[in-house]
Amino acid sequence: MTDAHAGIASHGQGPFIAAIDQGTTSSRCIIFDRDGRIVSVDQKEHEQIFPKPGWVEHNAVEIWTNVQEVVAGAVSKAGITRDDIKAIGITNQRETTLLWDKNTGEPVHNAIVWQDTRTDTLCKELGRNVGQDRFRRETGLPLASYFAGPKARWLLDNVEGLRERAEAGDILFGTMDSWVIWNLTGGVDGGRHVTDVTNASRTMLMNLHSMEWDDKICESIGVPKQMLPEIRSSAEVYGEITGGKLGDLLGGIPVASALGDQQAALFGQTCFSEGEAKSTYGTGTFMLMNTGEKVINSYSGLLTTVGYRIGDQKPVYALEGSIAVTGSLVQWMRDQMGLISTAAEIETLALSVEDNGGAYFVPAFSGLFAPYWRSDARGVIAGLTRYVTKAHLARAVLEATAWQTREITDAMTKDSGVELSALKVDGGMTSNNLLMQTLSDFLDAPVVRPMVAETTCLGAAYAAGLAVGFWTSTDDLRANWRRAAEWTPNMAADKRDREYKSWLKAVERTMGWLEDES
Amino acid sequence: MARNIQSLERAAAMLRLLAGGDRRLGLSDIASSLGLAKGTAHGILRTLQQEGFVEQDMTSGRYQLGAELLRLGTTYLDVHELRARALVWTDDLARSSGESAYLGVLHQQGVLIVHHVFRPDDSRQVLEVGAMQPLHSTALGKVLAAYDPVAHSEALEAERKPFTPRTICEPDGFEEILDLTRARGYASDVEETLTGVASIAAPIHNQRRMPVGAVGITGAVERVCKDGELRPELIAAVRDCARAVSRDLGAGRF
């Protein structure tokens, strides 16, 4: 990573900020300089454990070992020492849930990963006669298997003797931020048991308005409050690196931020004003819009979540919409259909024709997500004629990602009353120029790509740097943001409207395919 | 009634001849092996050479198989794949040089811009992906012409317009520039395409060391040059980037 940095502006001089990204498939550590540029990176993958269909687990001990290794690795690659690093921040895969023994530091079970669907039935039961929106007003979330609270309840119900140990106060609950911070700050020897507002907002146990654990909901879901971490802001000093191998190497460095990965990307993209939004295009897509100090209830199927909170400032909220299938549709064209040999070739194929030839592809492979939430829907390719070629389908594949983004954006505007001024994008698919142009055309708004692709780690570094005064304000951070490319809309309004209408018709045709679900 | 085309048959025989044995043959060897008049053999060889299928060694005058044949045999590198691989490195290049970065490939008789990273300031800039640049006057074009035999013949055949008083148009001068480019490993364009604008570019190679594109920076001549010379740290940044992308494509260190 560092070769190409041997350019002009030297960043050999410190001080620096380190950021840990404890992600779904790997743990990484990146060291950043004051301009927000990457100095070094280290990364290690961990095992994905699939005990049963639909179940996904991680070994939390392996993760902690990897985190220590990548931090040491990144520091050594940068050729710097403890004194050069002003703070360390954390961003993490959201909702993944762990319970551990506070006396031994041993996890009582593997961590249950966010994608794990074992709590499906439990969530339906918890909905009782109200349904999945039972706790939405307080938590901003529907009862779905992703969120951490019901996962903790499952562990308490299914691990022998665990509930008694929890009620005796021996068990600690945490998402991965809490696990990493507790271990970094000493573990069994006085480790800090904390989480930040963004991670807490994904447990379904926190009240969005008070930013505290909600007694009633904790009781309803069946999670004893004494095992929950203290809820802190996203940018403050939680403690210092203490003990263990890292203690010898980096002891005393403040642990100064925690943000869920998508919120960290929002922060790294410097979306600090109301109405600013970022969208991360990977296998799936996550879009977050800053809604300022307002908690906006969504009537369009979006999630209401905490964007971030800096120290004792007021919390900043966000609306979140996710698209299940974006990059994975391109992979599907490559692996299942064999129409392309690399993901990037989708653009070449799509560019060989002028338009979609009348074809629309709605990839509702496992139902429709935001804003429809229809699990009875399945994928559809609509508008086929003998004229349609694989190149038209390639267009339709890229347009599917753009239209789905448009639908989320429309839902956000409807809920918040705020028009999207520009969309900041990151993630692997941003290298697809045709997709980015199509996105801008369909949204009728500029689409902007920043120069640092690692917005998630950068967000954690920014929050940690703010906490220790390395950067003085969010204005400092904005000044670091650099535009690498910008796509501006270039499509006639009547054509956009006509195409959108056709897309919506295709979406309608996906619904009701499965008959035994509503 | 289908009739075979004699000159194509002869060309194929020549390629087979060059593919066997010691692979470097003089004109008279080739002509006598195939039972052709020297003039006929030379005409075919010259055509093959223009297409990049045959190369002539400058000093000995002998002929050998050209790089274009290798390229036909290699899996074709998709330009969008090239952009995806180059993305992080060109971001770094723009950031470290303070100038806008471009990635170009040969297309028809010019350079097609397949990737563009804005200059890292807050000025208003327009994405130039899809634009064409001339081969003979730009740094990207000179790199392609110097390393890619097909680009080379395209550049020689095309009309080389003088865009500024500094544009080098006559064939000898142009060849000299290409020799210099190969010797140094980079090309420059100091006010040869646009007055006031300078650029530097270096070649990107794939795992077979075939040139697949060029990467470079462009900026105001006052920033890119100092005391009439290209700033060495900018040359280093461009070449580092080209090497990093090449490595990502599987090219070894060289």
Side-chain angles (χ1 to χ4, degrees), chain B residues 69-200:
Chain B
L69 277 175
L70 285 175
R71 193 153 83 166
L72 286 176
T74 337
T75 26
Y76 159 74
L77 178 72
D78 187 278
V79 295
H80 300 110
E81 181 72 23
L82 178 62
R83 182 200 297 136
R85 303 290 190 98
L87 200 70
V88 279
W89 305 111
T90 41
D91 276 7
D92 276 347
L93 175 60
R95 196 140 196 186
S96 66
S97 65
E99 302 296 344
S100 50
Y102 296 86
L103 189 64
V105 298
L106 175 68
H107 181 69
Q108 289 161 357
Q109 295 201 319
V111 183
L112 173 67
I113 301 300
V114 296
H115 184 49
H116 171 200
V117 183
F118 288 172
R119 188 171 60 246
D121 55 28
D122 281 334
S123 64
R124 186 133 205 96
Q125 295 167 71
V126 176
L127 206 60
E128 290 169 45
V129 173
M132 293 291 292
Q133 288 188 0
L135 276 172
H136 69 285
S137 67
T138 63
L140 292 171
K142 289 177 198 173
V143 164
L144 293 175
Y147 287 89
D148 181 339
V150 182
H152 183 236
S153 49
E154 296 285 5
L156 286 180
E157 275 169 27
E159 185 201 356
R160 293 182 297 282
K161 279 189 202 156
F163 299 111
T164 75
R166 303 187 61 157
T167 315
I168 294 158
C169 301
E170 69 288 359
D172 291 350
F174 183 57
E175 289 289 4
E176 257 176 54
I177 290 292
L178 298 188
D179 286 340
L180 186 64
T181 300
R182 279 184 290 264
R184 296 197 297 200
Y186 68 89
S188 64
D189 159 11
V190 180
E191 300 191 90
E192 292 164 56
T193 311
L194 281 169
T195 304
V197 174
S199 58
I200 305 170

Side-chain angles (χ1 to χ4, degrees), chain A residues 177-192:
Chain A
D177 54 316
S178 301
W179 171 242
V180 171
I181 294 171
W182 188 78
N183 279 297
L184 278 175
T185 55
V188 289
D189 299 318
R192 305 297 165 87

Side-chain angles (χ1 to χ4, degrees), chain A residues 3-6 8-9 35 37 342 344-345 347-348 351 431 433 449 451-452 480 482-487, chain B residues 78 80-81 83-84 87 89 91-92 94-97 115-118 120 127 129 231 233-234 237 240 247:
Chain A
D3 296 50
H5 285 292
I8 315 299
D35 295 332
R37 289 170 48 180
T342 67
E345 269 179 42
E347 188 174 352
T348 313
L351 279 170
S431 75
N433 194 63
R449 182 175 78 81
M451 218 162 251
V452 173
N480 271 346
R482 293 279 178 275
R483 184 184 286 116
E486 177 168 350
W487 294 266
Chain B
D78 187 278
H80 300 110
E81 181 72 23
R83 182 200 297 136
L87 200 70
W89 305 111
D91 276 7
D92 276 347
R95 196 140 196 186
S96 66
S97 65
H115 184 49
H116 171 200
V117 183
F118 288 172
L127 206 60
V129 173
R231 290 171 60 196
E233 61 272 27
L234 289 176
D240 281 343
R247 254 201 320 279

